[in-house]
Amino acid sequence: MRRMWWAVAAAVLAVACGRGGASSPSGKPSPETYKGRSLVITDSMVMQGGADTLKLGRIHSGEILALPLRLVNGAEKPLVPVSTSRSCGCVDLEFEAQPILPREWQDCRLIFDSRGMSGWQIKRLDLRLGNSPHVIRLWVDVEVR
């Protein structure tokens, strides 16, 4: 009986302290607990296009970075990432061409390949959404040593 009481108390304490894992209505972890980089896509970005800069810092020549990037739908309607275009084959975005509902997100992966590079690099990556004639432009900023 005493062990059962402790188990119940520990469960209540875990939920009260947030250790049970805050989640959205879909059951995904809440965006506040995400530690990676996020790109919030708003209605104005869908209607007019938009841009953001991802600063990757300093890396060594030859390194290939694979960084998590969360696409957050801050718009009123579902968003569907469909394609990318880029200024260089050294940068890419891996994603699923699946709808992202309002206030939901999709975890993607930004790839940067620094083989053969040195110095300051800034590369362009345009993300095209299925319901917008405009692109979301990402500038990838990195110093290669």
Side-chain angles (χ1 to χ4, degrees):
M1 179 72 174
R2 192 172 207 179
R3 286 185 182 174
M4 187 171 83
W5 184 88
W6 280 108
V8 169
V12 168
L13 186 58
V15 170
C17 293
R19 294 206 44 196
S23 62
S24 70
S26 69
K28 293 182 180 180
S30 70
E32 294 82 22
T33 62
Y34 183 66
K35 302 291 187 226
R37 299 169 195 252
S38 294
L39 174 65
V40 178
I41 302 172
T42 63
D43 283 317
S44 65
M45 291 171 84
V46 173
M47 300 302 293
Q48 301 167 359
D52 201 353
T53 301
L54 300 172
K55 295 182 184 245
L56 306 184
R58 291 182 182 149
I59 64 172
H60 294 286
S61 183
E63 279 187 78
I64 300 173
L65 299 179
L67 302 169
L69 176 68
R70 179 169 279 179
L71 298 178
V72 179
N73 184 352
E76 299 277 327
K77 296 181 179 179
L79 302 175
V80 182
V82 293
S83 66
T84 59
S85 60
R86 54 205 176 169
S87 62
C88 176
C90 62
V91 66
D92 199 9
L93 183 66
E94 296 176 348
F95 60 90
E96 293 182 31
Q98 298 292 325
I100 306 170
L101 299 176
R103 294 175 302 285
E104 292 289 329
W105 58 89
Q106 180 185 128
D107 289 333
C108 306
R109 202 163 72 146
L110 178 73
I111 308 295
F112 184 82
D113 183 349
S114 69
R115 289 181 288 188
M117 294 182 182
S118 66
W120 179 55
Q121 305 290 319
I122 188 157
K123 306 299 180 185
R124 177 188 48 82
L125 180 76
D126 290 340
L127 174 63
R128 187 159 302 282
L129 302 171
N131 55 343
S132 175
H134 304 286
V135 297
I136 308 300
R137 179 158 289 168
L138 297 176
W139 294 103
V140 178
D141 181 339
V142 62
E143 182 181 348
V144 181
R145 295 181 152 199

